[in-house]
Amino acid sequence: GESWRKNTNENYCGPTSSSRGADLNRNFSFQWGCCGGSSGSQCDPTYRGPTPGSEPEAQAVEAYSDAVFPDQRDDDLDSPAPDDATGLYLDIHSASEIILWPWGFDTGNNPPNGTALQTLGRKLAYFNGYDPSHHIWYDVDGDTIDSAYGRLGVASFVYELGTTFFQDCDYFESTILPYNLQSLIYAAKVPRTPYLTPSGPETVDLSLQGGAFVAPGDLITLNGIATDTRFNNQNGTEPTGTVAAARCSLDSPPWSDPGPTFLPLAASDGSFDGGIESIE
C-alpha cells in the first residue's frame, strides 16, 4: 500500500528501512544528477543512486535499448535526431492523465526535436484525452525517456495513467484500458518514422464492399476517410493541413522493397481541398 517509487536495494538507507533503495527513474546515465531533479540522500524517495546507471534494472533497460535502437543523435544537447529517425520508446506510469516527452531534466526548454515530439504527443493524447505536455510540475534528471532520446535520438514518451496511484479495477477496465489501448495501437503504427508520420493525414474508417469471396476481375469498392485533424489541443493548437492525395497498395505496405503498385483513391466530393476528406 505504499507509494514505492524505488527499487529495493538494501545497500541504501538500510536493509529493513521502508525508505531503502534507489529511484530507478532518476538513475539512468544521461544527465544523471545534473540539475536538481533528484536527491543524493539515500532515504529520500527520489534518491538517484551513488553513480550514473548504478542499478541493475537501469543497466538492463539501457543495454536493451542500445541493442534494438541505432544511435541516431550526436551527444551535444542541441543536436537533433534526423527527421527520418526510427524507433519509439514508451514509459508507462501512474498517475495524472498526462503524456510527457523530453526534456525531463530541463522542462523549461524544448529538445531539438521538440516540435515533432509535441505533434506525436498530441496525436497519442487524442485517443485517451490526456493532457499532452512537455512541461511538468518539476524537473527530473536521470530519467528513462531522457536517456532513450538523449543517448539514441529515439522519440520517447511517458504515459501517466489514471487519476490516482491505486486505481480500482472497475475504473481501469472501463476507462484506462480502452482509451489507452487505442493510443498504444496508434503508437505501434508510427515507429518507422515517428518524427514524420504523425504530422500528416491518417486514414480511418476503412471498409471494403465486394462480397466474402473475391475472384480475379471482380469489382471491389474501398471507402474511407483521410483526416489531418485528430490531435489533442488542450495545451496549444496543433497546425493541420489540407489532404492533397490518397492512395492504397495491395498485399504490401508502402515502404516495402521492392515497392508495391499503388492505386489512386479519389475524393468522394470530387476534389481534395479540406483537412477531412472522404475517399473511395
Side-chain angles (χ1 to χ4, degrees):
E2 292 196 47
S3 296
W4 196 298
R5 66 189 304 157
K6 306 168 84 174
N7 68 359
T8 56
N9 192 329
E10 296 180 356
N11 293 314
Y12 314 137
C13 197
T16 60
S17 171
S18 62
S19 298
R20 68 186 181 277
D23 181 350
L24 295 172
N25 200 40
R26 288 167 171 79
N27 184 246
F28 285 79
S29 59
F30 183 82
Q31 295 296 102
W32 178 87
C34 72
C35 310
S38 59
S39 172
S41 299
Q42 291 187 0
C43 296
D44 282 357
T46 59
Y47 175 55
R48 59 181 170 260
T51 56
S54 61
E55 304 310 293
E57 298 93 338
Q59 293 171 19
V61 171
E62 288 197 337
Y64 182 68
S65 299
D66 292 344
V68 298
F69 297 126
D71 186 352
Q72 303 164 101
R73 182 182 170 277
D74 291 338
D75 292 337
D76 185 274
L77 287 179
D78 295 326
S79 297
D83 289 342
D84 61 353
T86 65
L88 186 63
Y89 182 99
L90 302 179
D91 190 32
I92 299 180
H93 288 199
S94 62
S96 288
E97 295 190 332
I98 53 178
I99 289 181
L100 303 166
W101 53 90
W103 297 120
F105 74 88
D106 183 8
T107 59
N109 289 299
N110 290 318
N113 295 98
T115 299
L117 289 167
Q118 176 176 267
T119 296
L120 179 50
R122 288 172 172 171
K123 179 73 77 172
L124 297 174
Y126 169 84
F127 300 94
N128 57 17
Y130 287 7
D131 182 8
S133 178
H134 162 247
H135 301 286
I136 196 172
W137 312 279
Y138 48 81
D139 292 339
V140 178
D141 49 33
D143 74 323
T144 178
I145 61 168
D146 279 4
S147 171
Y149 173 74
R151 295 187 309 110
L152 303 173
V154 177
S156 303
F157 295 85
V158 170
Y159 282 66
E160 293 278 5
L161 301 181
T163 60
T164 180
F165 289 110
F166 300 100
Q167 205 86 56
D168 66 73
C169 292
D170 287 342
Y171 186 81
F172 176 82
E173 292 179 354
S174 66
T175 305
I176 294 177
L177 176 60
Y179 291 111
N180 282 284
L181 185 58
Q182 293 304 308
S183 181
L184 293 170
I185 288 172
Y186 179 84
K189 297 178 180 181
V190 300
R192 189 177 63 89
T193 50
Y195 295 126
L196 293 174
T197 300
S199 62
E202 56 182 312
T203 49
V204 298
D205 297 337
L206 290 169
S207 64
L208 283 172
Q209 290 85 40
F213 301 97
V214 180
D218 286 354
L219 181 66
I220 306 171
T221 301
L222 170 66
N223 294 101
I225 296 174
T227 175
D228 191 37
T229 63
R230 305 209 312 171
F231 298 98
N232 184 319
N233 292 318
Q234 282 179 249
N235 217 341
T237 302
E238 183 65 24
T240 59
T242 298
V243 178
R247 62 185 185 176
C248 67
S249 60
L250 294 175
D251 297 329
S252 299
W255 56 86
S256 60
D257 186 21
T261 299
F262 288 104
L263 303 173
L265 299 174
S268 299
D269 63 2
S271 63
F272 287 103
D273 54 10
I276 303 175
E277 291 286 352
S278 294
I279 52 178
E280 61 186 17

